């Protein structure tokens, strides 16, 4: 019998990761997946892959996980569209499997959270911080009827006075679902500063905000505010480890990613320590930064490579489908000895 030979389907590898950890279902089979323990699934060269991501109740505080149907369209071995972030590495496709999350209803009921009495020169003010569909504050002077001001987002909070030499303010440290707020109010309950971060507080007389950066070393960005010309102005931000300890890179993959991350963050204190002496001599100034070019984020290839070799992907923006510029980082004895663009 004479006829055309049917073209064989070519398989590709779909690697699933999950920052919060979840279970995924495909074809009636369930698999566990997480960031440190990815899941490798076979997929056809031309296929629309359907999977369902199921979350755990404790996967994200303050949120309820809801099953999510994810579709990834693959054409000629490359993802062309997806419901979740997906990376075309060339040899494999990497995707993030996350359920949907909806916010839990606030557990805080209406009521007073904190009270404070503060002197503003000619008189004293009694302040009451209370929750009623958000944070509110009531000011009263000399027994007069309180004046209430809505402060907005927050589930709990506390009041403290703040002296800045020539002026006195009232601070509200509020806990939100995403972190903390520091609100500074003047004698008339007018907001002089509203700063947000993972943590927000007053330290050594300075209103301070800490932002936890997504980096291998667990870097943080600290912004302090000084009192100038009757208001609060942000001082130059600082990078370091202020409220949590530094994570020392433990593998060549972590070392490679941390070097690339710290280059774009402008953190010079650590990454040069990971260079072999001969490379350190050659990479003076911004040589390595200029060689790698512009990028916004960094990720290591999801498949383990042979010892001393790490493929790093650099991304200029975040879309649903991403194709990174790839560089090979070569290590000898835990020190970077060469970088090559692939």
């Amino acid at each position: 019998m004479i006829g055309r030979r049917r073209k064989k389907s070519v398989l590709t590898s779909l690697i699933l990761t999950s920052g919060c950890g979840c279970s995924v279902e495909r074809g009636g089979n369930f698999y566990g997946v997480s960031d440190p323990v990815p899941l490798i699934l076979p997929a056809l060269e031309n296929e629309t892959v359907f999977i369902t991501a199921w979350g755990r109740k404790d996967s994200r505080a303050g949120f309820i996980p809801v099953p999510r149907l994810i579709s990834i369209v693959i054409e000629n071995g490359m993802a062309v569209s997806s419901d979740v972030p997906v990376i075309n590495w060339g040899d494999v496709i990497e995707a993030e499997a996350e359920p949907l999350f909806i916010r839990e209803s606030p557990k805080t009921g209406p009521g007073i959270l904190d009270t404070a009495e503060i002197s503003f020169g000619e008189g004293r003010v009694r302040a009451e911080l209370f929750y009623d569909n958000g944070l509110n504050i009531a000011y009263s002077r000399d027994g007069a009827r309180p004046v209430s001001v809505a402060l907005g987002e927050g589930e709990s909070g506390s009041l403290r006075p703040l002296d800045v030499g020539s002026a006195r303010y009232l601070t509200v440290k509020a806990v939100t679902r995403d972190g903390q707020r520091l609100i500074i109010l003047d004698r008339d309950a007018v907001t002089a500063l509203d700063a947000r971060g993972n943590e927000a507080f007053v330290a050594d007389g300075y209103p301070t905000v800490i932002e936890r950066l997504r980096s291998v070393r667990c870097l943080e960005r600290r912004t302090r505010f000084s009192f100038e010309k009757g208001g609060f102005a942000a001082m130059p931000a600082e990078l370091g480890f202020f409220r949590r300890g530094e994570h020392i890179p433990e593998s060549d993959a972590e070392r490679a990613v941390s070097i690339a991350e710290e280059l774009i963050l402008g953190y010079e204190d650590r990454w040069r320590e990971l260079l072999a002496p001969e490379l350190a001599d050659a990479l003076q100034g911004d040589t390595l930064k200029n060689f790698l070019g512009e990028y916004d984020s960094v990720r290591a290839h999801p498949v383990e490579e042979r010892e001393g070799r790490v493929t790093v992907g650099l991304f200029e923006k975040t879309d649903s489908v991403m194709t990174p510029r790839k560089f090979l980082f070569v290590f000898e004895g835990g020190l970077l000895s060469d970088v090559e663009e692939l």
Side-chain angles (χ1 to χ4, degrees):
M1 182 177 179
I2 300 175
R4 291 184 178 180
R5 179 177 296 178
R6 180 176 297 178
K7 183 180 178 180
K8 292 183 178 180
S9 296
V10 178
L11 291 177
T12 189
S13 293
L14 176 62
I15 299 179
L16 301 179
T17 60
S18 176
C20 66
C22 66
S23 295
V24 296
E25 182 269 332
R26 184 188 185 192
N29 297 313
F30 285 82
Y31 311 89
V33 57
S34 65
D35 224 7
V37 186
L39 173 67
I40 302 178
L41 295 174
L44 296 177
E45 185 182 29
N46 295 281
E47 179 186 5
T48 299
V49 177
F50 292 99
I51 59 175
T52 303
W54 299 75
R56 301 192 305 260
K57 179 66 172 67
D58 61 347
S59 54
R60 187 179 295 178
F63 291 83
I64 300 173
V66 177
R68 178 182 193 174
L69 179 63
I70 298 170
S71 67
I72 302 171
V73 180
I74 302 173
E75 295 180 1
N76 299 319
M78 302 283 282
V80 295
S81 68
S82 174
D83 298 325
V84 295
V86 63
I87 301 171
N88 286 314
W89 286 99
D91 52 344
V92 297
I93 299 171
E94 181 182 10
E96 294 185 17
E98 303 284 1
L100 295 173
F101 289 94
I102 58 175
R103 288 184 180 274
E104 289 183 315
S105 300
K107 297 179 181 178
T108 306
I112 295 176
L113 301 173
D114 199 6
T115 62
E117 290 193 10
I118 179 171
S119 174
F120 283 107
E122 70 279 8
R124 294 183 66 81
V125 170
R126 176 177 174 81
E128 291 185 342
L129 180 69
F130 63 97
Y131 182 88
D132 187 4
N133 293 320
L135 290 182
N136 302 265
I137 194 164
Y139 268 32
S140 60
R141 290 187 178 87
D142 302 325
R145 185 175 181 178
V147 175
S148 297
V149 177
L151 299 178
E153 183 186 7
E155 298 181 355
S156 64
S158 59
L159 300 174
R160 296 290 185 276
L162 173 64
D163 288 306
V164 293
S166 60
R168 170 168 275 199
Y169 290 88
L170 182 66
T171 67
V172 180
K173 181 177 178 180
V175 177
T176 69
R177 295 182 180 184
D178 300 319
Q180 295 180 358
R181 291 174 70 193
L182 183 67
I183 309 164
I184 300 181
L185 307 169
D186 68 10
R187 64 188 304 275
D188 297 315
V190 175
T191 300
L193 177 68
D194 187 349
R196 298 169 179 258
N198 296 105
E199 296 185 62
F201 50 89
V202 176
D204 300 324
Y206 291 99
T208 303
V209 168
I210 300 290
E211 178 189 359
R212 296 171 189 159
L213 303 179
R214 186 173 181 177
S215 70
V216 169
R217 291 190 190 271
C218 299
L219 276 164
E220 297 170 307
R221 180 182 287 115
R222 181 176 72 178
T223 303
R224 298 192 293 176
F225 297 84
S226 61
F227 184 74
E228 301 176 7
K229 300 178 181 178
F232 292 91
M235 301 167 65
E238 306 165 272
L239 293 175
F241 310 95
F242 306 105
R243 305 286 279 192
R244 60 179 180 173
E246 176 184 4
H247 171 74
I248 304 300
E250 299 176 346
S251 65
D252 287 341
E254 286 194 346
R255 296 181 188 101
V257 172
S258 70
I259 290 172
E261 286 175 338
E262 290 156 34
L263 277 169
I264 58 174
L265 290 172
Y267 188 70
E268 299 280 340
D269 291 16
R270 299 286 191 276
W271 70 266
R272 289 189 180 275
E273 300 174 356
L274 298 176
L275 304 183
E278 61 275 11
L279 191 61
D281 293 338
L283 297 180
Q284 298 299 319
D286 292 333
T287 303
L288 181 56
K289 184 176 181 179
N290 293 335
F291 176 67
L292 296 180
E294 297 292 330
Y295 56 98
D296 300 311
S297 60
V298 186
R299 195 171 181 93
H301 193 285
V303 177
E304 186 175 352
E305 301 174 82
R306 75 171 187 259
E307 186 176 358
R309 298 171 69 87
V310 180
T311 298
V312 170
L314 306 182
F315 304 86
E316 294 188 42
K317 57 182 179 179
T318 302
D319 292 321
S320 59
V321 177
M322 297 170 285
T323 301
R325 292 184 295 114
K326 294 185 292 185
F327 290 81
L328 178 64
F329 283 51
V330 180
F331 289 85
E332 295 180 8
L335 296 177
L336 183 67
S337 62
D338 192 20
V339 181
E340 174 187 349
E341 185 167 9
L342 300 176

